Amino acid sequence: MLQSVSEKLDFAYNMIISELSYSLTSEGHLPIVFLFLFGSASMDLGSPEQDPEMKEESSSVYVGREDDIKKSERMTAVVHDREVVIFYHKGEYHAMDIRCYHSGGPLHLGEIEDFDGRPCIVCPWHKFKITLATGEGLYQSINPKDPSAKPKWCSKGIKQRIHTVTVDNGNIYVTLSNEPVKYDSDFYATGNFKVIKTPS
């Protein structure tokens, strides 16, 4: 099983090299020309742990005290220039991008409700439901051809980027997700969509 980003990239690179090598040799071109032009398949892509910028973004950031979030049940913070909201719900901590994946609504102003036994934040703008644990967008569907069918909850897949919350000696820390996958909420996590006012 591939663990690190560099292993995944190295695997993808090797697959591309293999496909290109097969195409070139099957069309009668010499593989030696291919190797001369593109080099060996064992390219060193480096590891993200060695990149100081990635190391900084994957480090935990202190965002507040446990006592404070237990009272308010939510807090907002800026973690490495990314705005996040942290929820405390039924004894568990959850952190995600502060803006809704759908249209950038302010999730820190939404209500937490259970849908299909899963706690979700409901966006105050368009009522989109996002699971706290996974960031999945939930919706209800019904079979229009079956008049007796009841609506059932379905998942759109992961739409909201989820971050890691840790508690140490009453202090709360957030570590940004380093998943290489793009999530819909990434669009609103950068640029002109800031909601947390910082003193200037």
Side-chain angles (χ1 to χ4, degrees), residues 3-76:
Q3 297 297 324
S4 70
V5 173
S6 66
E7 286 177 323
K8 290 176 185 174
L9 288 172
D10 199 34
F11 176 78
Y13 177 81
N14 286 327
M15 291 299 293
I16 291 168
I17 295 298
S18 297
E19 284 296 316
L20 287 173
S21 177
Y22 174 77
S23 296
L24 287 174
T25 55
S26 66
E27 292 177 16
H29 301 287
L30 294 175
I32 191 91
V33 173
F34 175 76
L35 288 174
F36 176 75
L37 291 174
F38 295 99
S40 161
S42 60
M43 182 174 123
D44 181 19
L45 297 174
S47 110
E49 291 77 30
Q50 295 170 347
D51 184 354
E53 233 175 76
M54 285 196 71
K55 193 170 194 177
E56 181 182 315
E57 286 188 8
S58 66
S59 64
S60 297
V61 172
Y62 170 80
V63 295
R65 296 283 302 157
E66 195 174 13
D67 295 341
D68 297 332
I69 193 172
K70 282 185 175 179
K71 289 177 195 168
S72 64
E73 296 185 338
R74 67 188 65 201
M75 67 176 19
T76 60

Side-chain angles (χ1 to χ4, degrees), residues 111-128:
E111 295 297 321
I112 295 175
E113 297 179 39
D114 277 8
F115 296 96
D116 199 31
R118 302 167 76 181
C120 298
I121 184 70
V122 179
C123 179
W125 283 5
H126 303 108
K127 307 303 178 199
F128 275 59

